[in-house]
Amino acid sequence: MKLNKISGNAYLIQLSTIVKGMMLVLFILVSLLTFSGILTSLKPEFRPSSQSVNRATEQMSSATFFRLFSLENRMFLLSTNVQQEWPSLTEAMFNFATNIRVKDPRSFLGRELPGFAIYDGEIIVAGLGTDYTNMPIESMPPPETFDPKNEAPLQNIDGTDTQSSPSPIVSDGKNRIYIYFTHTRESFLPYLKGVKDPDLAYHSQINVTKIGDRLEQELEALGIGTYVEKEDIVARLNHKGLTYGFAYQESRNIVQQAMQTNRDLQYFIDIHRDSQRKEKTTITINGESYAKLAFVIGAEHPNYEKNAELAKKLHHLIDKKYKGLSRGVILKQGKETNGKFNQDLSSNSILIEFGGVDNSFEELNRTAKVFAEVFAEFYWQAEQVNASNTSSTSEN
């Protein structure tokens, strides 16, 4: 009897242990599911992420990514000739442990060198000669730069007038393109007497708005209605007592207002100029000098890939006709940059760097003409596709 009683107690203890184990497993599963549900319900910008893991996977080739899919479904391998390619385990582990990318030298010293963060970005499409040593630079001007008393006198301004139309205007009168300038007073050293420092190349009259004027004329002549926003962001910041760092917030208000008042607007272009010097922002094609272009996309919003896709299409069209004119498409994110550039407002929103601090308006106007021609080609093809899709839908 005593033996049976001991056996019964042992059985009950064992059963109790199993039940407790099952309850613990069930609790862990429920907790994981609850935690996962909370994470997926958050907006993308509030979700935790690992930069090191993200950057490591960004370096993964499409073939490797496809191969990983095939581990789950081998039918993928039957429909393609993609060769087996596996990432280096050693390199991946080193990346995860140190956040250093062997193929990107910026990751070795980027956090230790003051000011090095201005080069922090990802080249998603590289133009001819573009690498991490000559990426666009967004400089921060000293506050006293915008004091009217400190504004440099002008020189060499003959030929900067862009008001004369290059050809008759043939648009339908509806504005489809909205051009604006977050950094309205970004100027060019050839026109600023006595100014040699790129960080001081700012002026209230001769600046990037002149490029917008020329681009408007060229696009209008090709049948695309264009509106150029002349609101001076710097003046608005000064009036509100805000620093230059609030420029994108201020231009955002202007863009949103334009979108609300004009439903015909389809594309939004923020024009800037680079702080890089002339050898990096200029190219000679068929004996003529052009200011190079660079497309900058902010990655800190969920739909940035659509903005990037537009930029890539325009880059390839330009590169096909004017090799080297486009420096490529640069992805920007992180603490030292805005990260959105108002591009979350529309999938057809892009930021373009037209030339640099040393470029002349002769070079800039040539580039504006090229960009208008390429953009018009892209625009009218897209319109034909949209018209065709609309027609097919109505017939069905």
Side-chain angles (χ1 to χ4, degrees):
M1 288 292 294
K2 187 174 183 180
L3 181 62
N4 291 339
K5 185 175 181 180
I6 294 175
S7 299
N9 289 337
Y11 175 77
L12 290 175
I13 292 173
Q14 185 177 11
L15 181 62
S16 175
T17 302
I18 293 174
V19 171
K20 289 179 179 179
M22 292 178 65
M23 291 181 65
L24 178 61
V25 171
L26 182 61
F27 174 77
I28 292 173
L29 289 174
V30 171
S31 299
L32 287 174
L33 289 173
T34 303
F35 183 66
S36 300
I38 293 174
L39 288 181
T40 54
S41 64
L42 291 174
K43 293 183 178 180
E45 56 264 33
F46 298 125
R47 296 175 189 169
S49 62
S50 169
Q51 290 295 325
S52 59
V53 173
N54 287 344
R55 289 177 176 174
T57 55
E58 285 173 359
Q59 306 302 318
M60 187 182 298
S61 69
S62 58
T64 301
F65 194 66
F66 189 88
R67 182 64 184 176
L68 291 175
F69 266 104
S70 71
L71 293 177
E72 292 296 323
N73 189 341
R74 300 192 65 82
M75 291 299 293
F76 279 101
L77 295 178
L78 302 179
S79 60
T80 182
N81 293 322
V82 173
Q83 298 298 314
Q84 189 177 53
E85 180 184 349
W86 294 103
S88 168
L89 180 60
T90 303
E91 183 177 329
M93 293 301 294
F94 185 71
N95 192 342
F96 293 151
T98 65
N99 201 22
I100 292 176
R101 301 182 298 284
V102 177
K103 297 180 181 179
D104 186 354
R106 300 170 304 147
S107 62
F108 288 89
L109 297 174
R111 293 178 179 82
E112 284 68 37
L113 297 180
F116 197 82
I118 60 177
Y119 296 99
D120 193 18
E122 299 292 336
I123 302 175
I124 55 178
V125 179
L128 181 65
T130 299
D131 56 37
Y132 286 107
T133 67
N134 54 24
M135 293 173 64
I137 298 176
E138 186 175 0
S139 62
M140 181 65 71
E144 60 270 17
T145 302
F146 302 116
D147 187 334
K149 298 178 182 178
N150 298 328
E151 191 164 76
L154 296 172
Q155 63 181 4
N156 306 321
I157 58 175
D158 293 340
T160 61
D161 184 12
T162 60
Q163 296 306 311
S164 57
S165 179
S167 56
I169 295 177
V170 294
S171 71
D172 61 3
K174 293 183 179 180
N175 292 324
R176 311 296 185 182
I177 315 299
Y178 182 80
I179 297 174
Y180 69 105
F181 317 90
T182 295
H183 295 160
T184 323
R185 298 189 184 183
E186 287 183 332
S187 189
F188 305 90
L189 292 176
Y191 306 102
L192 306 179
K193 188 175 182 178
V195 180
K196 304 297 181 183
D197 186 350
D199 290 342
L200 302 179
Y202 294 84
H203 200 275
S204 61
Q205 301 300 319
I206 299 299
N207 49 47
V208 290
T209 61
K210 295 291 186 180
I211 303 172
D213 290 336
R214 172 62 65 169
L215 191 54
E216 176 191 24
Q217 295 162 14
E218 298 289 353
L219 288 169
E220 289 272 359
L222 294 168
I224 306 175
T226 304
Y227 180 81
V228 178
E229 179 60 70
K230 292 297 185 66
E231 191 74 30
D232 188 344
I233 299 297
V234 173
R236 290 172 65 103
L237 292 174
N238 291 340
H239 179 71
K240 295 182 178 181
L242 299 174
T243 64
Y244 199 64
F246 287 90
Y248 282 102
Q249 177 179 312
E250 198 61 33
S251 65
R252 183 182 187 86
N253 296 332
I254 295 173
V255 175
Q256 287 178 317
Q257 184 177 359
M259 296 175 76
Q260 292 171 1
T261 56
N262 190 345
R263 300 295 182 179
D264 292 327
L265 294 174
Q266 297 174 327
Y267 295 88
F268 303 84
I269 302 176
D270 189 4
I271 293 181
H272 293 245
R273 67 100 179 97
D274 196 359
S275 292
Q276 291 277 21
R277 304 313 296 262
K278 189 162 188 174
E279 66 275 7
K280 297 177 181 178
T281 65
T282 314
I283 189 172
T284 299
I285 302 175
N286 297 328
E288 290 191 314
S289 184
Y290 291 80
K292 288 186 177 182
L293 297 171
F295 296 91
V296 179
I297 301 299
E300 295 183 18
H301 66 96
N303 298 316
Y304 78 91
E305 290 182 350
K306 293 181 179 179
N307 305 99
E309 192 62 31
L310 171 60
K312 286 190 284 187
K313 288 178 180 178
L314 293 173
H315 163 80
H316 289 306
L317 285 172
I318 293 170
D319 205 49
K320 184 178 179 180
K321 294 185 175 182
Y322 295 85
K323 187 70 174 178
L325 183 62
S326 173
R327 296 163 65 188
V329 183
I330 313 299
L331 203 64
K332 285 278 192 175
Q333 59 183 328
K335 295 181 180 179
E336 301 298 324
T337 188
N338 177 267
K340 288 184 179 179
F341 309 121
N342 301 326
Q343 293 165 2
D344 58 317
L345 297 177
S346 169
S347 59
N348 289 331
S349 178
I350 53 177
L351 186 158
I352 307 177
E353 301 275 2
F354 270 79
V357 290
D358 296 308
N359 285 113
S360 68
F361 279 104
E362 288 79 5
E363 296 164 336
L364 293 161
N365 289 342
R366 291 189 190 106
T367 300
K369 181 177 179 63
V370 170
F371 178 79
E373 291 173 351
V374 170
F375 187 88
E377 178 184 339
F378 163 81
Y379 176 84
W380 291 118
Q381 286 180 352
E383 287 295 294
Q384 289 179 358
V385 172
N386 291 336
S388 177
N389 292 339
T390 302
S391 176
S392 298
T393 303
S394 61
E395 289 177 1
N396 293 334

